[in-house]
Amino acid sequence: MNMSTHISSQASSSPGVEAADVVRTERAGLDALAEALENPVGLGGAFAEAVEIILALPGRVVVTGIGKSGHIARKVQATLASTGTPAIFVHPAEASHGDLGMVQKGDAVLAFSNSGETTELGDIAAHARRSGLPLLAVTSRAHSTLASAATVALTLPSLPESCPMGLAPTTSTLTQLAFGDALAVALLRQRGFTATDFGTYHPGGRLGARLRTVRELMRTDNAMPLATPNTPMRDVIVEMTHKALGCVAILGQNGTLAGLITDGDLRRALDHDLTTTLAKDVMNDSPLTIGPGIFASEALRLMNERKRPITSLFVLDDDRKPIGVVHVHDLIRAGVG
């Protein structure tokens, strides 16, 4: 028997079945974490205490960890910072060589270590205790050195890793990551962090474009095609052609929106005598409009969900006066579509 035959004979199942076992093992870890977080006298109580400490901080959350826990810590720091909780990552080895100066009065240290015995965390943990800073320890061993030194020990369930040797950090890192997400979202909710706030922290890329408001993209002032109810249709056609948005807003008393004429309305009016027909004879007196605070993505959805998609939306203020108009091309150029 050659080596390849021998190896094949040792395989007990297909890679897909083995992969499914990994997912089930890690899912069990997440279920155990969720159950632990619901326990008010265990992890749930410590979690609530950690949230209160972070909310009261005048400074930042200093997130740290090394190895696989360090990679998780970096992601948690990024999630915290992008959801309204000021946070930085400090590498524990670099902290021992000068970066402890980044950890200031008013900060708290959030340290990730599955074993709680990571020697590289010693200096930053000692610095936190020496400086009177809260030390929040995320570990799976309640009686570890790190947990014993912590202000709050956040003890995650200790479960088997999903690798066949039980050595590679897999289940443990997944539960650390989920714990970090839970912490960030709990803080987000407590702060009343909104989608608008989220957009402020994510101005780049397609996500940033989708979170921009109509106010940022609308055309205003002389770029708006406008007429009055008594404007002759021949003049409406001139205005529609000049502004090239495929519509004209009809303003009533005090500048409020009385109606809208689109190029479709115009085509349907071609059997009229356009020299005597007025805008009020053709306009739609209940057009779809939006407010300036609507997200660009929502404006695009409103345009596209119609049986006959529309290309422009007028933006009204609280007094129903047009303050702008947004065209589908404006949204697409901004990266919303």
Side-chain angles (χ1 to χ4, degrees):
M1 179 184 295
N2 62 33
M3 182 60 70
S4 61
T5 303
H6 176 71
I7 292 174
S8 298
S9 68
Q10 298 299 310
S12 59
S13 58
S14 71
V17 171
E18 293 172 346
D21 287 341
V22 170
V23 173
R24 291 189 185 96
T25 300
E26 297 191 354
R27 183 175 62 191
L30 293 179
D31 289 340
L33 174 63
E35 186 174 328
L37 284 166
E38 290 176 332
N39 183 358
V41 297
L43 179 59
F47 182 87
E49 186 178 356
V51 168
E52 290 181 4
I53 288 172
I54 294 173
L55 288 173
L57 285 179
R60 307 152 304 171
V61 178
V62 179
V63 191
T64 189
I66 201 165
K68 302 300 186 295
S69 293
H71 295 308
I72 298 299
R74 286 183 183 274
K75 192 275 179 186
V76 172
Q77 175 271 320
T79 302
L80 288 169
S82 70
T83 53
T85 298
I88 61 170
F89 175 82
V90 174
H91 194 286
E94 296 298 334
S96 299
H97 295 275
D99 280 2
L100 281 178
M102 298 172 65
V103 186
Q104 300 289 326
K105 182 179 180 181
D107 293 343
V109 174
L110 177 63
F112 285 81
S113 171
N114 184 45
S115 68
E117 301 296 344
T118 307
T119 56
E120 291 88 348
L121 290 174
D123 287 339
I124 193 169
H127 176 73
R129 298 297 287 175
R130 185 169 56 247
S131 303
L133 308 182
L135 174 60
L136 312 176
V138 183
T139 177
S140 64
R141 296 184 181 177
H143 303 293
S144 62
T145 302
L146 182 63
S148 299
T151 308
V152 180
L154 298 151
T155 308
L156 308 186
S158 180
L159 296 166
E161 302 289 5
S162 62
C163 89
M165 297 172 291
L167 298 175
T170 46
T171 307
S172 59
T173 49
L174 181 63
T175 54
Q176 285 181 342
L177 181 62
F179 176 87
D181 288 342
L183 180 62
V185 172
L187 291 164
L188 174 156
R189 287 174 171 165
Q190 290 295 314
R191 294 184 193 280
F193 195 80
T194 66
T196 301
D197 298 322
F198 194 81
T200 300
Y201 292 128
H202 298 77
R206 187 175 180 184
L207 176 60
R210 291 178 63 83
L211 291 173
R212 294 177 70 181
T213 62
V214 167
R215 187 191 302 276
E216 300 174 69
L217 300 175
M218 67 186 187
R219 307 184 193 193
T220 60
D221 302 326
N222 292 333
M224 291 190 293
L226 304 172
T228 67
N230 292 320
T231 301
M233 279 303 298
R234 61 187 178 187
D235 294 334
V236 171
I237 294 172
V238 172
E239 177 74 353
M240 186 180 297
T241 303
H242 179 62
K243 300 297 173 63
L245 289 176
C247 63
V248 175
I250 309 304
L251 303 184
Q253 294 182 346
N254 302 320
T256 59
L257 184 71
L260 185 73
I261 296 177
T262 67
D263 51 5
D265 298 322
L266 179 59
R267 286 192 296 272
R268 288 186 287 274
L270 288 178
D271 58 349
H272 294 67
D273 182 353
L274 297 183
T275 61
T276 58
T277 302
L278 303 179
K280 63 183 179 182
D281 301 322
V282 177
M283 71 181 189
N284 171 11
D285 60 7
S286 57
L288 179 66
T289 61
I290 54 175
I294 296 295
F295 286 126
S297 57
E298 175 66 6
L300 186 61
R301 185 190 67 79
L302 291 172
M303 289 178 175
N304 289 330
E305 74 175 5
R306 309 278 285 192
K307 185 175 181 181
R308 292 182 178 178
I310 57 180
T311 59
S312 294
L313 283 173
F314 267 85
V315 185
L316 308 185
D317 64 14
D318 292 339
D319 297 322
R320 291 195 56 76
K321 294 181 180 179
I323 57 174
V325 59
V326 62
H327 192 273
V328 65
H329 291 167
D330 301 329
L331 302 177
I332 293 173
R333 277 193 296 268
V336 178

